[in-house]
Amino acid sequence: MRESNIKPAGSATLTVKGKNYELPVLSGTQGPDAVDIRKLYDQADLFTYDPGFTSTCSTESNITFIDGDKGVLQYRGYPIADLAEHSNFLESCYLLLYGELPTKTQMAAFEHSITHHTMVHEQLASFFRGFRRDAHPMAIMCGVVGALSAFYHDSTDITDKRQREVASHRLIAKMPTIAAMAFKYSVGQPFVYPRNDLGYTDNFMRMCFSVPADDYKINKVLSKALDTIFILHADHEQNASTSTVRLAGSSGANPFACIAAGIACLWGPAHGGANEAALKMLEEIGTVDRIPEFVAKAKDKTSGFRLMGFGHRVYKNYDPRAKAMQIQAHAVLDELGLHDDPLLKVAIELEKVALKDPYFIEKKLYPNIDFYSGITLRALGFPTSMFTVLFALARTVGWIAQWKEMLEDPHQKIGRPRQIYTGPTERKYVAMGSRK
Ligand code: SDX
């Protein structure tokens, strides 16, 4: 079990209908203090109201820290820019899972374990055949990852520390294999088995792009770019899909079912589906001269249109990942001789126009991680429908680290929010014949 690092920081007085209630104030190592309302309902018969949880902490965590005003993102205290520049995805997985950067021996053991879990049960291949070929790869991911609990009964007992670790390694190892299978199935090509002599991201690129007639030649620049993109997407505090995984896990559901729930939530265009939506938006804009028309539409409330890849619940300043994503976009496009990519031109100009527009300035809307990822992933050869699958592949380690932390939290209990009820008060049943 994990010990709490929360410190008392005085108290807050709440006065309701002339009565005072003293509520403890709690402090962490970074970020805002929090008012502890755990006893409020018992003491004052009061709920708090916070749809979307904009001001609510659902947990204590020591995994990822975000400061939305300063554009700060740290995994276990390490700034994302440092990890993007100096680390690699598998090392960042170790850091997120275990809390420290690994020693050489620890990294070798971790990499050996992940490498030897990359294959999936052969029976799983026939599971894919139940889908139509044009099924969205995210629909396949929801189904297949949820089905893993039907194959790996020996790592579904969440009370067993060793089984939790095996399930964690299995999920991190198998997500690239399943994601590549979802891609191959959607393009009608045969599945490609993982190889133990290849690194994590090289293996994934080969499983996606190798064909029996022509093995894929690893391009180290492209693999490095994708590996960095995975680091940028690995975890992000208590976002919607992570909160979904935590809530599912709080009922004792097995890890495979919890991750499948996270995948389903991530699919939404307001969340992980934004990278697919952002690229489609750039394609719809098409040329720089049509940008004003779309910016005007995004400012018109009645249009229901939003600039995809812009805005963020937490970042009210630049999303630090967007900067790192832009660097990877240029690296990939330069490597492939696509620096004249028309969509990149539209994206750069759209960013410039939006950041000068009073509407976006006033509402603090900046490009987020999804704004440049679509251009980069398309250049790497992935169809738009695979973009959120890649996000899910990378975010699996974050979901798992948060799920593990939740289970090791002594204060953990099933998540069960309340409501302000505004429906009908009690009334008598009316027989059919007497209804008007
Ligand atoms: C991710 O939470 C995370 O950490 C998520 C994530 C992660 O790593 O897990 O970072 C990944 O999901 C990034 C976000 C990807 N989504 C998009 O790019 C979709 C487009 N963006 C939005 O829909 C929106 O900005 C959200 C959903 C991201 C954030 O929404 P909020 O914080 O709830 O803000 P809001 O919807 O209340 O908007 C505030 C105002 C509104 O105007 P008013 O009602 O105040 O007049 O800003 C406007 C909105 O209309 N607005 C936008 C806009 N985003 C918000 N207007 C135009 N274009 C946009 N993109």
Side-chain angles (χ1 to χ4, degrees):
M1 281 300 175
R2 183 171 57 89
E3 280 315 305
S4 169
N5 285 328
I6 288 178
K7 307 253 178 319
S11 67
T13 306
L14 177 68
T15 304
V16 178
K17 295 178 184 147
K19 203 162 174 225
N20 288 344
Y21 301 93
E22 285 305 300
L23 300 169
V25 174
L26 308 175
S27 212
T29 49
Q30 299 187 80
D33 288 349
V35 177
D36 182 349
I37 57 167
R38 283 174 290 184
K39 296 198 170 63
L40 182 64
Y41 178 51
D42 289 347
Q43 285 173 353
D45 196 30
L46 279 171
F47 291 151
T48 58
Y49 181 59
D50 184 15
F53 313 118
T54 44
S55 307
T56 296
C57 301
S58 60
T59 185
E60 172 187 356
S61 180
N62 51 31
I63 299 174
T64 293
F65 176 72
I66 301 173
D67 182 322
D69 293 328
K70 297 192 189 106
V72 168
L73 168 58
Q74 297 165 356
Y75 294 163
R76 304 284 191 179
Y78 293 97
I80 192 68
D82 282 5
L83 293 170
E85 188 181 346
H86 304 297
S87 185
N88 61 61
F89 180 63
L90 218 47
E91 181 183 75
S92 300
C93 286
Y94 186 97
L95 173 66
L96 285 166
L97 275 181
Y98 299 109
E100 298 296 336
L101 288 171
T103 62
K104 216 164 168 196
T105 316
Q106 289 167 331
M107 190 60 212
F110 182 64
E111 186 149 24
H112 182 272
S113 172
I114 297 299
T115 300
H116 290 82
H117 278 300
T118 48
M119 286 184 71
V120 292
H121 193 293
E122 194 60 16
Q123 201 69 21
L124 211 66
S126 43
F127 190 97
F128 280 79
R129 305 223 192 288
F131 291 101
R132 286 174 27 165
R133 286 284 180 177
D134 62 355
H136 194 293
M138 279 299 278
I140 297 177
M141 293 299 287
C142 290
V144 174
V145 173
L148 289 177
S149 39
F151 289 87
Y152 298 111
H153 304 288
D154 59 340
S155 61
T156 52
D157 176 358
I158 58 155
T159 61
D160 177 331
K161 187 169 183 287
R162 180 64 193 138
Q163 289 196 33
R164 292 204 299 267
E165 182 164 55
V166 171
S168 305
H169 289 199
R170 276 176 166 156
L171 278 157
I172 291 165
K174 296 180 194 306
M175 281 300 270
T177 309
I178 294 168
M181 291 170 81
F183 172 48
K184 285 304 203 185
Y185 190 74
S186 72
V187 295
Q189 291 177 358
F191 297 141
V192 177
Y193 288 98
R195 270 182 27 193
N196 288 357
D197 62 333
L198 292 178
Y200 189 88
T201 305
D202 285 349
N203 219 349
F204 174 64
M205 291 287 271
R206 183 179 167 277
M207 287 190 281
C208 288
F209 299 118
S210 185
V211 287
D214 185 8
D215 199 357
Y216 174 71
K217 288 163 202 59
I218 306 289
N219 177 318
K220 284 298 178 191
V221 172
L222 302 185
S223 288
K224 168 73 183 146
L226 186 58
D227 196 76
T228 305
I229 290 169
F230 287 163
I231 294 174
L232 298 174
H233 285 80
D235 193 46
H236 212 238
E237 199 210 63
Q238 305 310 318
N239 59 84
S241 53
T242 297
S243 300
T244 301
V245 170
R246 278 180 172 262
L247 202 52
S250 73
S251 75
N254 76 68
F256 306 103
C258 295
I259 298 304
I263 293 171
C265 176
L266 186 75
W267 194 2
H271 188 15
N275 51 17
E276 178 175 353
L279 192 88
K280 284 186 177 148
M281 176 191 73
L282 291 174
E283 286 170 338
E284 196 186 343
I285 295 173
T287 51
V288 167
D289 61 325
R290 292 196 63 203
I291 287 173
E293 172 197 335
F294 281 81
V295 169
K297 216 162 73 166
K299 290 156 62 175
D300 169 10
K301 284 272 169 281
T302 59
S303 74
F305 170 78
R306 287 187 168 187
L307 284 188
M308 301 318 280
F310 264 80
H312 198 276
R313 168 60 57 75
V314 176
Y315 290 121
K316 299 306 174 191
N317 194 319
Y318 216 88
D319 180 340
R321 303 169 298 175
K323 276 195 180 72
M325 268 312 309
Q326 198 184 45
I327 293 167
Q328 296 313 318
H330 284 294
V332 167
L333 294 171
D334 288 348
E335 171 68 13
L336 297 170
L338 300 172
H339 26 262
D340 291 339
D341 182 319
L343 287 191
L344 181 66
K345 284 198 175 70
V346 171
I348 291 172
E349 186 55 26
L350 176 58
E351 180 182 359
K352 268 194 214 132
V353 169
L355 296 188
K356 282 202 292 267
D357 187 295
Y359 174 91
F360 292 88
I361 295 168
E362 181 225 316
K363 294 186 188 302
K364 299 184 177 178
L365 302 174
Y366 293 85
N368 58 48
I369 188 163
D370 297 301
F371 188 61
Y372 284 104
S373 58
I375 296 167
T376 315
L377 299 176
R378 186 186 65 136
L380 286 170
F382 294 103
T384 321
S385 60
M386 277 293 288
F387 291 0
T388 311
V389 172
L390 299 174
F391 195 151
L393 187 166
R395 185 55 57 90
T396 294
V397 62
W399 288 331
I400 279 291
Q402 300 269 355
W403 168 80
K404 216 166 136 272
E405 182 179 70
M406 183 256 316
L407 290 175
E408 290 160 6
D409 181 343
H411 300 296
Q412 187 270 333
K413 54 179 70 170
I414 188 165
R416 206 282 185 213
R418 301 303 303 271
Q419 61 181 10
I420 296 182
Y421 176 72
T422 55
T425 52
E426 189 175 322
R427 51 184 173 165
K428 281 234 170 300
Y429 180 80
V430 178
M432 181 65 87
S434 319
R435 292 175 204 162
K436 293 182 184 56

